[in-house]
Amino acid sequence: MDLYTEGDPIADTRAPDGPIETRWERRRFEAKLVNPANRRKMTVIVVGTGLAGGSAAATLAEQGYQVKSYCYQDSPRRAHSIAAQGGINAAKNYRNDGDSVHRLFYDTVKGGDFRSRESNVHRLAEVSVNIIDQCVAQGVPFAREYGGLLDTRSFGGAQVQRTFYARGQTGQQLLLGAYQALERQIGLGNVEMNARHEMLELIIVDGKARGIVVRDLVTGEITTEFADAVVLASGGYGNVFYLSTNAKGCNVTATWRAHRKGAYFANPCYTQIHPTCIPVSGDHQSKLTLMSESLRNDGRVWVPKAKGDNRKPKDIPEDERDYYLERIYPSFGNLVPRDIASRAAKNVCDEGRGVGPGGLGVYLDFADAITRLGRKAIEAKYGNLFEMYERITGEDPYEVPMRIYPAVHYTMGGLWVDYDLQSTIPGLFVIGEANFSDHGANRLGASALMQGLADGYFVLPNTVANYLAAGPFEKVEASHPAAVEARRDVEDRIQRLLAVNGDRTVDSFHRELGQIMWEHCGIERSEAGLRKAIDEIRALRAEFWQRVRIIGDADGLNQSLEKAGRVADFFELAELMCIDALHREESCGGHFRAEHQTPDGEAQRDDERFAYVAAWEYGAEQPVLHKEDLKFEYVHPTQRSYK
Ligand SMILES: Cc1cc2nc3c(=O)[nH]c(=O)nc-3n(C[C@H](O)[C@H](O)[C@H](O)COP(=O)(O)OP(=O)(O)OC[C@H]3O[C@@H](n4cnc5c(N)ncnc54)[C@H](O)[C@@H]3O)c2cc1C
């Protein structure tokens, strides 16, 4: 293809071999340790205070390292993780319904459409059981059943009930747990917390990540910060689509800046479109709202059987309704994975059977569950979600079915990391949604919280020691040429943005970029569409650098300047996402290429040619593709079926 070049293959040299159940234990045993007296002498920078970064910073400090923590919010506990609603998976098998570490491993590899690493996923399933114990010990108020045991519910892509939850606020409760652990360490003086600071550049000295450049978002001051290792826990990049369920601040800057400095970016095109979001209601909107997947435990998804049937839902008799997920996928029904449910919703809407304004919606109906369980039981499980829905739409979901439609929600792609969660830059570790590691081409519901906390509480604190055992490294001063250059780059870039002084707002560019991405790199992609998108993105980016208007200056709080820097990075990422989507001539998980589908419209993988992780190296002219082959010894790739 004319858009990239191909480089050498890449391998995960940290991944142990041998029986899969023993690999993590072996890696932990073989990894070097740092003795407690030496830990005090070493500093780790952690960018991000969500579930991944908050848990990592607290745990590293608890171990005795000096930690410097950064987030752009006014408080670490406002990280986007707080928005997570539905739950967190763990292979506890409290229900005695056939769950096990192996089953969670199997479901995740299959759910990711055989595009993730077996070793990583097995470790995730193993560690999942410890997470629940850790959080319960911290006092996280998980829902309990009548007898006092922890309650669980179902999530997509699984036939067991392994999802632990705290009503529809699981992320908030888990984050409060991590935040308290972090605060304890802040209080003890082991964590230096820097809220309202944005990382704008990575500092590399002698080939190692040794620091970051940050901007104080309140005063505008730019400083250089140093450490023995840097951890990025900066979340996902779904906001490249402008409209998404992510918090408005979510962005790609931290990982993109590291990418430009040499960290490979893996599988950027793998985006998760969540099937149950409140539909777009007009072009005034700046974000979309998720209705948690947990609702599909009790809600039934349907559309009218007849095209253009615009009667009120209650006037449509049972035999004129199409409960299409239950019909097409009888074994998993309403709980098929997200990629499958999203495409099915799009298909029925494309057939003209969608409901609500513009025909872009399907019903999620609780009438049966309310009759069966009573309104009180539904209120107890989902009350806050129902209230949120009513406030936004003005409709009472206890009385009329919710209307939902797919929306961008999560990004499986991210910086490439090895089994130790280390990127291609030594000393730069990446955790949580910011890395690409465990979910392949489609993440199962309730597995992001699991991965973020697995990385932060259990994996990174072990693997980072292996790297730090060679430290402490020589001290770096702010006068070091690498630090001076990184800082100057940040200052120049801010001045370049301000100097444009054009006539279009940052948001108008971001919205237009999002429209291009949604149309051509969203639920369905095609060669012609992706090529068109690349041309349009390039043209829009050129216009951005000529016409963007940023009000105010760099010497204080300036949200328009903050947004401009993030949107500038989104432009570059968007192009790479389209190139990645274009080169992957197959459909897998959330990456659905119109040209590659089975006769009944399911994703058609090409394991011969594409069973690899696409790790992209930054190139000033063109990106360079490095392939990491995926091997499947335990879960053999088959056509994924939920029928
Ligand atoms: C509405 C919604 C509901 C969800 N529900 C669930 C669920 O029920 N179960 C589930 O498993 N998953 C769920 N998810 C997904 C899950 O919430 C996220 O994947 C996860 O919380 C990400 O955690 P994180 O720690 O990696 O990043 P985040 O929580 O996004 O935190 C990122 C942190 O990085 C900081 N940061 C970023 N860039 C910079 C920078 N340049 N400089 C300084 N700081 C920076 C931010 O300030 C923040 O502190 C949901 C997602 C959404 C959008």
Side-chain angles (χ1 to χ4, degrees), residues 337-519:
R338 294 173 179 177
D339 54 334
I340 310 257
S342 291
R343 274 201 300 281
K346 179 180 183 297
N347 290 343
V348 293
C349 292
D350 287 353
E351 287 163 18
R353 297 195 289 138
V355 299
L360 290 179
V362 302
Y363 290 128
L364 180 62
D365 194 340
F366 293 87
D368 276 2
I370 292 172
T371 311
R372 191 166 29 107
L373 305 168
R375 180 179 164 133
K376 271 211 148 45
I378 295 298
E379 239 173 59
K381 281 187 183 172
Y382 315 114
N384 66 310
L385 300 173
F386 275 49
E387 195 184 317
M388 202 182 341
Y389 182 87
E390 186 174 3
R391 280 203 202 154
I392 292 173
T393 63
E395 289 171 9
D396 177 2
Y398 293 102
E399 298 296 330
V400 288
M402 287 183 177
R403 279 177 302 106
I404 50 163
Y405 195 68
V408 172
H409 179 64
Y410 180 88
T411 44
M412 281 75 69
L415 289 186
W416 185 91
V417 287
D418 62 16
Y419 189 71
D420 281 0
L421 303 179
Q422 187 167 212
S423 73
T424 47
I425 299 175
L428 181 71
F429 292 78
V430 192
I431 60 176
E433 194 174 339
N435 74 24
F436 89 104
S437 68
D438 297 352
H439 308 292
N442 172 61
R443 171 176 72 79
L444 290 183
S447 286
L449 302 187
M450 171 173 71
Q451 183 224 329
L453 291 181
D455 288 359
Y457 282 133
F458 298 105
V459 180
L460 179 89
N462 284 289
T463 58
V464 82
N466 186 64
Y467 176 79
L468 290 173
F473 303 109
E474 202 178 318
K475 203 163 180 291
V476 182
E477 303 289 345
S479 56
H480 190 286
V484 172
E485 189 188 329
R487 186 193 163 114
R488 199 178 41 235
D489 285 349
V490 168
E491 287 164 349
D492 287 354
R493 199 171 134 84
I494 289 175
Q495 287 316 317
R496 268 178 62 213
L497 283 166
L498 289 168
V500 177
N501 199 18
D503 58 358
R504 263 190 82 171
T505 63
V506 179
D507 273 353
S508 78
F509 280 106
H510 192 180
R511 189 187 289 276
E512 197 174 331
L513 174 67
Q515 280 159 352
I516 297 170
M517 292 299 284
W518 178 244
E519 193 169 338

Side-chain angles (χ1 to χ4, degrees), residues 47-53 70-73 79-81 83-87 155 197-199 233-236 245-246 250-251 253-254 290 409-410 431-434 443 446-450:
V47 178
T49 58
L51 286 176
Y70 297 84
C71 71
Y72 55 71
Q73 287 91 350
H80 157 67
S81 290
Q85 300 173 347
F155 257 62
H197 279 71
E198 182 166 25
M199 167 194 163
S234 50
T245 62
N246 290 192
C250 292
N251 68 87
T253 290
L290 176 75
H409 179 64
Y410 180 88
I431 60 176
E433 194 174 339
R443 171 176 72 79
S447 286
L449 302 187
M450 171 173 71

Side-chain angles (χ1 to χ4, degrees), residues 170-196:
T170 316
Q172 177 170 357
Q173 299 306 331
L174 292 172
L175 191 61
L176 286 173
Y179 168 74
Q180 286 173 76
L182 181 65
E183 282 293 316
R184 176 179 132 77
Q185 290 300 325
I186 295 171
L188 291 171
N190 300 330
V191 174
E192 175 197 298
M193 184 66 233
N194 300 280
R196 291 205 139 179

